[in-house]
Amino acid sequence: LRSTCGSERWVRDMVARRPFRTVDRLLEEAGAAWRGLSPADWDEAFAHHPRIGERQAAAPADATATAWSAGEQRAAMAADVDLRRRLAEGNAEYERRFGRIYLVCAAGRSAGELLADLEARLGNDAETEQRVAAAEQHRITRIRLAKLIGTERP
């Protein structure tokens, strides 16, 4: 579970909610556990992700989470030098503005789409952006839970 979400409180809550008899039940419980977290718990989860276009997270992540991040960010890592530079600059601006990494569900999205999303989100106020980032983390968690149990259906 730690590979899917870096919040220790979320992991403990999910362990307490077992057993999950169906995929739907697992995903429902994951959502309920996520909605029960505080913004500090969200920030803990965010810290387990590398910046878009980078490989290393601020907080230690296990090999599974690291491999999933690399796969999710494949398009950003393969972008041309100018686009990667613009993503890095956008990441830095986002961190100055909001005090945390830009978190987005990158799976299946091009580097250009990620940059456009980042630029749009820079216009958010702090409270709105915190909710958007939390929703993105929840999307990532659902995708990773599906991978963890061997299904493609998040």
Side-chain angles (χ1 to χ4, degrees):
L1 288 172
R2 282 185 183 88
S3 298
T4 66
C5 180
S7 165
E8 285 300 317
R9 185 168 165 220
W10 181 87
V11 170
R12 284 192 312 269
D13 194 9
M14 287 297 290
V15 168
R17 292 169 182 264
R18 293 178 305 166
F20 310 111
R21 302 208 188 286
T22 66
V23 173
D24 288 337
R25 188 69 182 161
L26 168 68
L27 297 175
E28 287 170 17
E29 293 295 339
W34 183 251
R35 288 186 298 277
L37 297 180
S38 70
D41 297 316
W42 296 345
D43 285 338
E44 180 185 21
F46 302 163
H48 285 81
H49 293 274
R51 290 177 184 91
I52 293 296
E54 295 184 8
R55 298 189 193 284
Q56 196 68 27
D62 66 22
T64 300
T66 299
W68 284 341
S69 287
E72 293 157 359
Q73 291 199 43
R74 187 173 298 120
M77 301 300 260
D80 66 45
V81 172
D82 182 59
L83 192 47
R84 285 195 320 267
R85 179 191 53 75
R86 291 172 59 203
L87 278 167
E89 290 170 356
N91 280 333
E93 176 62 24
Y94 184 97
E95 288 178 38
R96 278 190 297 278
R97 177 150 165 65
F98 297 112
R100 71 171 98 48
I101 70 161
Y102 161 64
L103 187 75
V104 63
C105 183
R109 298 178 74 184
S110 72
E113 290 171 319
L114 296 173
L115 180 60
D117 181 76
L118 188 157
E119 290 171 343
R121 286 173 54 187
L122 283 169
N124 288 342
D125 62 78
E127 184 178 320
T128 298
E129 183 52 32
Q130 186 176 50
R131 286 193 312 269
V132 170
E136 292 292 314
Q137 172 65 58
H138 183 56
R139 288 180 60 205
I140 294 165
T141 301
R142 288 175 58 88
I143 290 168
R144 289 180 176 189
L145 281 169
K147 289 178 185 179
L148 182 69
I149 62 172
T151 183
E152 292 299 314
R153 185 177 63 98

